[in-house]
Amino acid sequence: MNTFDDILSAYSRQVRLPWAGDVPPAGRVWIVWYDKSLQRRFTGRLAEFEHATLKAGHGWRQVSLSRWFGSWIGQHEFFDALVEQPAELRGLLPEIEDSLVNEIKDALRSCTANDILAVDGCGALFGVARVSTLISRVADSIPGRLLVGFPGKHSAGVYRLLDARDGWNYHAIPIPTDNAL
């Protein structure tokens, strides 16, 4: 298992590499994957990633998804009915996904081609929205780089959120890489 310091070191190397402007959308997505037991440490020390980014001469923006769903559902017009009949939440999954995509795209609009938008708290989406779908729906809107904190596993291009479901294959830049450590 990679330690937090291993992951930060791999990220620091990646962020210092020159950025080509003609990178396809999948190459603009960096997934920092780590064991789910490191989630609190990753979130608590995210400022160290920001520092490494700024030191490398890039801008930093951040979005936390850890409380996103609670805020979204608490403001929903059918909140009271959903509390009484939570099984009805299934019918809202497309609306939830659309709202989440819009939130990330709004944050990306404030970024330049030299910025990183860091997204943390993806584990809180488990059972509500798929990280794979979120990434694929926002990838064309990334002007610089999208850094996704990912509590799970990565092997041979396959990512598994919280080790709990079949993974998905995505051509993002994994940090650390399979052979980096």
Side-chain angles (χ1 to χ4, degrees):
M1 174 172 77
N2 299 320
T3 67
F4 177 85
D5 291 330
D6 294 333
I7 295 164
L8 180 60
S9 178
Y11 174 78
S12 295
R13 284 190 302 273
Q14 179 68 33
V15 76
R16 287 190 311 260
L17 293 174
W19 290 12
D22 61 349
V23 174
R28 288 184 238 139
V29 178
W30 296 354
I31 299 180
V32 175
W33 62 277
Y34 48 86
D35 188 84
K36 60 189 174 189
S37 66
L38 294 176
Q39 177 63 61
R40 287 177 34 171
R41 183 168 296 150
F42 179 81
T43 298
R45 294 178 64 185
L46 199 54
E48 293 177 51
F49 284 81
E50 178 181 8
H51 177 73
T53 302
L54 298 174
K55 188 174 176 183
H58 298 289
W60 177 269
R61 305 269 190 275
Q62 185 176 333
V63 172
S64 175
L65 301 179
S66 58
R67 296 181 182 187
W68 183 87
F69 178 70
S71 296
W72 184 88
I73 197 69
Q75 297 172 18
H76 197 278
E77 63 181 315
F78 298 126
F79 174 74
D80 293 331
L82 290 167
V83 169
E84 297 297 322
Q85 297 180 335
E88 297 300 318
L89 186 60
R90 277 197 155 127
L92 293 177
L93 293 180
E95 183 181 341
I96 293 167
E97 183 180 286
D98 289 344
S99 294
L100 185 55
V101 166
N102 289 336
E103 177 113 0
I104 300 298
K105 283 185 174 184
D106 284 347
L108 286 167
R109 281 191 267 289
S110 72
C111 295
T112 70
N114 191 49
D115 291 340
I116 288 179
L117 175 64
V119 178
D120 182 37
C122 291
L125 300 178
F126 188 77
V128 176
R130 292 182 181 234
V131 176
S132 58
T133 303
L134 171 65
I135 291 172
S136 65
R137 289 190 56 194
V138 303
D140 288 336
S141 302
I142 303 168
R145 299 296 182 267
L146 177 69
L147 176 68
V148 178
F150 191 83
K153 299 213 185 279
H154 173 264
S155 180
V158 176
Y159 296 88
R160 293 183 60 209
L161 181 66
L162 299 175
D163 313 331
R165 74 167 185 91
D166 290 340
W168 94 96
N169 190 353
Y170 194 76
H171 298 290
I173 305 296
I175 301 172
T177 59
D178 289 334
N179 58 5
L181 303 173

